């Protein structure tokens, strides 16, 4: 099965330098991703780096930074047994000269054994709050 994804784009008055720190610093990220308990990168903040990610009431998970472009994109990859590869992408996109938007995207490359309904149910369950979190982030960076 091909990857399935959902994304949300919200224009912002902030610039990439103001936003970026809210993606990569745990204490700032917890202000908009309020269920995040731990987020650590092992080594340098770059594509391919490994790290730890922990949400409330969930086990600690290993992650890989599948794409890092400074002040532009930060994508976390999780290898979910029996489900597939899950990607959370936090992006700052340019929509016009000196105008930007926040883009949140969740993608799932399902395990070949996972049926379509199970893929749908899984991505729907984890994607329900990307709009709320993106609005919360925007309210923080536009202060």
């Amino acid at each position: 099965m091909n990857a399935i994804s959902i994304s949300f784009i919200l224009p912002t008055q902030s610039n990439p330098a103001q936003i970026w720190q809210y993606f990569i610093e745990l204490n700032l990220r917890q202000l908009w991703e309020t269920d995040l308990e731990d987020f650590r990168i092992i080594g340098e903040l770059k594509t391919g780096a490994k790290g730890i990610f922990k949400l409330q009431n969930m086990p600690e998970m290993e992650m890989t930074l599948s794409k890092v472009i400074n002040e532009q994109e930060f994508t976390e990859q999780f290898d979910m047994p029996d489900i597939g590869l899950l990607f959370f992408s936090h992006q700052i996109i340019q929509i016009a000269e000196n105008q930007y938007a926040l883009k949140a995207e969740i993608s799932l490359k399902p395990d070949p054994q996972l049926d379509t309904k199970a893929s749908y149910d899984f991505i729907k369950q984890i994607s329900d709050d990307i709009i709320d979190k993106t609005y919360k982030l925007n309210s923080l960076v536009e202060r």
Side-chain angles (χ1 to χ4, degrees), residues 2 45 93:
N2 291 326
L45 179 69
I93 58 173

Side-chain angles (χ1 to χ4, degrees), residues 1 4 108 110 114-128:
M1 180 185 297
I4 55 176
L108 174 66
L114 194 65
D115 68 32
T116 302
K117 177 160 181 7
S119 296
Y120 165 82
D121 290 344
F122 179 78
I123 202 162
K124 181 173 183 346
Q125 174 190 347
I126 63 170
S127 66
D128 278 348

Side-chain angles (χ1 to χ4, degrees), residues 3-125:
I4 55 176
S5 65
I6 184 168
S7 64
F8 178 70
I9 296 173
L10 178 65
T12 185
Q13 299 298 315
S14 294
N15 65 52
Q18 293 168 307
I19 299 163
W20 187 249
Q21 62 189 339
Y22 284 85
F23 289 165
I24 63 172
E25 293 179 25
L26 176 61
N27 62 326
L28 294 176
R29 189 160 171 176
Q30 288 174 317
L31 296 174
W32 60 274
E33 197 164 359
T34 56
D35 56 347
L36 182 64
E37 289 184 357
D38 195 8
F39 174 76
R40 286 178 275 145
I41 305 300
I42 300 163
E44 291 182 55
L45 179 69
K46 64 180 185 176
T47 300
K50 303 286 186 195
I52 301 297
F53 190 90
K54 168 111 177 54
L55 296 174
Q56 290 172 356
N57 304 316
M58 297 289 289
E60 189 173 272
M61 298 180 283
E62 289 184 14
M63 65 155 181
T64 302
L65 297 180
S66 62
K67 190 170 189 181
V68 177
I69 302 172
N70 192 43
E71 295 188 357
Q72 189 175 345
E73 181 174 346
F74 187 83
T75 301
E76 303 146 352
Q77 174 185 320
F78 301 87
D79 189 352
M80 311 286 290
D82 302 319
I83 295 173
L85 290 177
L86 179 65
F87 300 87
F88 285 95
S89 185
H90 312 284
Q91 299 174 37
I92 305 160
I93 58 173
Q94 189 166 7
I95 53 176
E97 188 173 335
N98 295 317
Q99 292 185 329
Y100 300 92
L102 301 169
K103 181 178 180 183
E105 183 172 74
I106 298 171
S107 297
L108 174 66
K109 185 171 183 356
D111 182 284
Q113 306 304 315
L114 194 65
D115 68 32
T116 302
K117 177 160 181 7
S119 296
Y120 165 82
D121 290 344
F122 179 78
I123 202 162
K124 181 173 183 346
Q125 174 190 347

